[in-house]
Amino acid sequence: MSQEHRTRVAIIGAGPAGLLLSHRLAEAGIASIVLDRRSRDEIEQTIRAGILEHGTVDILREIGGSRVESVGQRHDGVELRFEGVGHRIDLRGLTGRSVWLYPQHEVLRDLVGARLAAGQDLRFGATVERIDGVESDEPRIVATDAEGQRFEVAAEFVVGADGSRGITRATVAGSSREGYFREYPFAWFGILCEAPPSAEELIYSSSDDGFALVSRRSDTVQRMYFQCDPDVDPGSLSEAQIWDELQRRVPGTDLVEGPIFQRDVLRFRSFVAGRLLRGRAALVGDAAHTVPPTGAKGLNLAVADVLVLERALRALLLERDERPMLAYPQVASERIWKAQHFSWWMTSMLHVAPDATAFDRRRQIGELSSLVDSEAGRMFLAEGYTGW
Ligand code: PHB
């Protein structure tokens, strides 16, 4: 016999979307159980993007113990660099809003800490095998815990916050590939290095040799990326080769070099699941969509989904009003497609495709020049970057 647990909302995935949702539901008096197949350490050490939109910071600030203000850094602008010249986009001057550099693993540490302190039922190392009855009023999850013991969770609603490779995307959308999809012929080679910052603000640099992003993590650790072939083996380049690739892609700036202690290759995909809701199960965050990392929309979009779904769950479970839930896919989709466009646009404007012609490159420079020379253009970028 497997053990059975009962809750109101079963949340699969203890990433930012799942944890934030459990937090907000608890504040509304709605109990949940959060399951994740990964260990707590694995979750807290996942290296992801670091830029939070203005609205995301407002939401995270409300969480007790959040260090977004004390550890995060406010950025009032970003630099777009092409033809060896940097152009500052004054985010704050244009929109009155800033973004914050606060890496996702720090967000996760805050959220896990706050949820555990509040007594949230949070199960790491729990692998979901099946989700049954999503078209009924009592969906049920069959899972095994870290010791291989089977258990079941009976709930009134199931939320898939288990990322692009999770089980819920297939349950809700029909298959994990069912939806709108685009692949890109390049990837990012990412590094973490021990060095002081090379610049005060992030640099998005488009060069004839490809794109590079100079980001940061702290006063002593920096995060940088350069455009690479998606099939490159991260271990195949020497540190000298990596620095050479980076320096060439940010002409006109001397990047401060230092020992590289982490490297990874990030593949680029755009995806939106064909369905976000099926009966009593819904998708949020990366389970619902994937964006390429240019513009750092992934985590921010997950937070936006959660806010919409949380309102729908409150209406459904506290007031027996189904309408906001039925509207969830449409309401969430509006922002999802804005973010899809923004991420695709930043990506295509700044990267050099392997088959790009001289015409394509000159056109790109034309696009970048039109953007930085126009207040409307800079404003469009600033609005999207800081969040609609
Ligand atoms: C990062 O610091 O990891 C980062 C920053 C901005 C992006 C993407 C990634 O657009």
Side-chain angles (χ1 to χ4, degrees), residues 47-51 78 101-104 188 192 202 204 211 213-217 223-225 266 292-297 342 346 385:
I47 309 255
R48 298 299 271 285
I51 288 289
V78 292
L101 192 98
Y102 189 58
Q104 178 162 326
W188 277 1
L192 281 171
L202 269 59
Y204 290 82
F211 172 76
L213 169 60
V214 181
S215 184
R216 26 193 303 177
R217 283 295 176 266
R223 180 77 161 146
M224 298 183 201
Y225 304 93
L266 281 74
T294 330
K297 283 281 162 262
F342 185 79
M346 289 275 283
Y385 199 83

Side-chain angles (χ1 to χ4, degrees), residues 28-306:
I30 299 173
S32 64
I33 294 181
V34 182
L35 310 174
D36 200 299
R37 79 188 147 67
R38 298 167 296 172
S39 68
R40 179 177 175 182
D41 268 2
E42 232 179 296
I43 291 172
E44 290 184 358
Q45 278 159 26
T46 310
I47 309 255
R48 298 299 271 285
I51 288 289
L52 303 182
E53 290 172 5
H54 170 96
T56 304
V57 172
D58 283 347
I59 297 295
L60 296 181
R61 266 196 197 113
E62 292 171 13
I63 295 163
S66 169
R67 295 160 303 136
V68 63
E69 303 252 30
S70 53
V71 176
Q73 293 168 354
R74 196 179 94 190
H75 281 236
D76 293 344
V78 292
E79 181 176 296
L80 283 192
R81 177 165 275 270
F82 54 97
E83 303 274 88
V85 180
H87 304 263
R88 181 170 192 262
I89 307 291
D90 180 2
L91 302 171
R92 198 170 180 83
L94 287 159
T95 64
R97 297 168 155 216
S98 305
V99 294
W100 291 70
L101 192 98
Y102 189 58
Q104 178 162 326
H105 63 269
E106 301 288 4
V107 174
L108 281 164
R109 278 177 52 198
D110 288 352
L111 280 166
V112 170
R115 294 318 302 130
L116 289 175
Q120 169 72 41
D121 189 343
L122 188 49
R123 291 161 191 244
F124 300 107
T127 306
V128 174
E129 283 165 15
R130 272 194 348 255
I131 307 165
D132 294 335
V134 294
E135 315 255 18
S136 77
D137 285 350
E138 200 177 87
R140 178 175 283 274
I141 291 172
V142 181
T144 39
D145 67 17
E147 281 74 48
Q149 281 298 107
R150 218 162 212 249
F151 67 97
E152 297 192 10
V153 180
E156 290 166 65
F157 202 94
V158 173
V159 174
D162 50 345
S164 55
R165 283 185 280 272
I167 185 173
T168 51
R169 193 187 265 185
T171 306
V172 172
S175 93
S176 60
R177 296 213 126 219
E178 190 70 38
Y180 308 89
F181 182 68
R182 182 191 175 99
E183 235 172 332
Y184 298 79
F186 38 74
W188 277 1
F189 196 109
I191 61 155
L192 281 171
C193 66
E194 276 168 45
S198 289
E200 281 302 307
E201 295 179 339
L202 269 59
I203 304 174
Y204 290 82
S205 180
S206 180
S207 79
D208 292 349
D209 292 313
F211 172 76
L213 169 60
V214 181
S215 184
R216 26 193 303 177
R217 283 295 176 266
S218 68
D219 289 343
T220 53
V221 171
Q222 310 310 319
R223 180 77 161 146
M224 298 183 201
Y225 304 93
F226 63 88
Q227 179 184 343
C228 68
D229 186 282
D231 293 321
V232 75
D233 168 5
S236 64
L237 297 187
S238 68
E239 293 205 14
Q241 285 171 316
I242 292 173
W243 284 114
D244 180 54
E245 295 285 352
L246 277 164
Q247 300 280 11
R248 269 196 298 132
R249 284 164 167 74
V250 197
T253 304
D254 254 337
L255 300 176
V256 186
E257 301 183 7
I260 294 168
F261 61 91
Q262 146 95 34
R263 36 171 95 194
D264 46 10
V265 171
L266 281 74
R267 284 179 166 258
F268 275 46
R269 281 197 189 91
S270 297
F271 177 82
V272 181
R275 284 182 78 155
L276 302 182
L277 175 72
R278 180 184 293 272
R280 290 292 185 109
L283 304 176
V284 283
D286 283 1
H289 41 67
T290 310
V291 288
T294 330
K297 283 281 162 262
L299 171 59
N300 295 293
L301 196 51
V303 169
D305 292 345
V306 163

Side-chain angles (χ1 to χ4, degrees), residues 306-327:
V306 163
L307 298 190
V308 181
L309 187 65
E310 176 223 327
R311 277 199 301 272
L313 282 167
R314 278 207 317 245
L316 180 72
L317 301 177
L318 300 179
E319 293 151 36
R320 299 279 148 209
D321 178 2
E322 284 202 324
R323 285 167 303 177
M325 186 55 80
L326 294 174

